[in-house]
Amino acid sequence: MVPTKKEDLRKLVSETTMEVYEELTPQLIRLIEETKRNDTLTEGQKQDEISLHMIGYVKSCTNEIIIDVLAEILGLEG
């Protein structure tokens, strides 16, 4: 779908955002759980690692959203 109005673009971006976040969330949860179970890290180090996981998650989601929306608009395939 190539949006012809700003509202159509907003809808496309919102739908893509939900899909990407849902798709990538299990990976984030896995990383957080692994970090929490890592007995070689102090609690402070665990929190630092979890913060880095969260930053990476948001960055990855943002990149995927941009790529997916542009691919949809430009008609690019998989």
Side-chain angles (χ1 to χ4, degrees):
M1 167 188 101
V2 177
T4 58
K5 294 186 251 174
K6 192 173 182 177
E7 186 58 37
D8 295 338
L9 178 60
R10 183 175 287 112
K11 182 178 178 184
L12 176 60
V13 170
S14 295
E15 289 172 359
T16 304
T17 298
M18 292 302 296
E19 292 171 9
V20 168
Y21 273 77
E22 288 174 4
E23 179 182 317
L24 295 180
T25 296
Q27 295 171 9
L28 174 64
I29 292 170
R30 182 184 49 77
L31 287 170
I32 290 172
E33 291 303 318
E34 287 174 6
T35 300
K36 286 180 179 180
R37 287 190 302 268
N38 188 339
D39 295 332
T40 64
L41 299 175
T42 66
E43 286 304 313
Q45 289 171 323
K46 288 179 184 181
Q47 289 304 313
D48 289 346
E49 285 292 315
I50 290 170
S51 293
L52 288 174
H53 295 324
M54 295 293 292
I55 291 167
Y57 170 73
V58 171
K59 181 182 178 296
S60 294
C61 288
T62 301
N63 287 347
E64 284 302 311
I65 292 163
I66 291 168
I67 290 166
D68 289 353
V69 168
L70 284 174
E72 178 75 24
I73 291 170
L74 297 173
L76 304 176
E77 294 184 20

